[in-house]
Amino acid sequence: MDDGDDVVDKAKGLKTTLDQFAQGGKKPDEVAKQITDLTAQVGKVTKQLAEMTETAKAEKTKRLDGMKMAKAVELLTKGNAASPQNMAKLLEGSIVVKDDESLAYTGTDGKEISLEDGVNGWLKENSWAVKANGAGGGGSNGCGSGSDDPFLSGFNS
């Protein structure tokens, strides 16, 4: 806001000017000057309102983006993803914010499902993104021929 004036005060000023017009009795050059002033005030208020609207929209977008990332990181962490922060960036385009600001996941088929189901499904489809669960102890070094990991079993042949 240029002068620090409040938009509401300016709107009240516009109302006062219109009331003066209604009372009549003005000379044509006074009316023309008031119309010019009124037009300038309307332009200024319109600009300020557009700036305020744009700022509010940007802040809402930033808040919703933060909410999407935080929930994705939470679910990826719960799903044992390796580097949940980075994996959340991969999923960001599939996470949608509904009108009620709840989150959903849009799958490759274009259907919306719950975010939790979407993240879990993504982790199942992308097993490379999940941390290996190394169970220690038992005396085994994990390199035996009984490994279920296709990558590791390739070394045992």
Side-chain angles (χ1 to χ4, degrees), residues 13-121:
L14 295 174
K15 168 92 170 82
T16 302
T17 302
L18 291 172
D19 289 343
Q20 290 172 354
F21 274 64
Q23 292 173 0
K26 301 276 184 186
K27 294 181 183 177
D29 59 337
E30 290 176 353
V31 172
K33 182 184 181 323
Q34 285 185 326
I35 289 174
T36 302
D37 291 346
L38 184 60
T39 302
Q41 287 178 353
V42 168
K44 191 173 185 179
V45 169
T46 301
K47 180 182 174 193
Q48 289 175 339
L49 183 59
E51 289 171 356
M52 289 169 54
T53 301
E54 191 63 32
T55 299
K57 185 178 177 182
E59 288 174 359
K60 181 178 180 179
T61 299
K62 186 177 179 180
R63 179 180 58 83
L64 293 176
D65 286 347
M67 185 173 78
K68 285 171 36 175
M69 290 301 288
K71 188 64 176 174
V73 168
E74 174 189 326
L75 292 172
L76 287 163
T77 301
K78 185 178 175 182
N80 202 29
S83 187
Q85 292 280 5
N86 292 326
M87 296 302 151
K89 292 175 188 173
L90 295 174
L91 296 176
E92 189 173 15
S94 298
I95 301 171
V96 293
V97 180
K98 297 172 129 183
D99 291 339
D100 64 355
E101 294 191 7
S102 63
L103 300 174
Y105 183 90
T106 304
T108 54
D109 58 1
K111 294 181 181 177
E112 283 185 10
I113 57 175
S114 76
L115 184 57
E116 188 167 351
D117 289 344
V119 170
N120 288 336

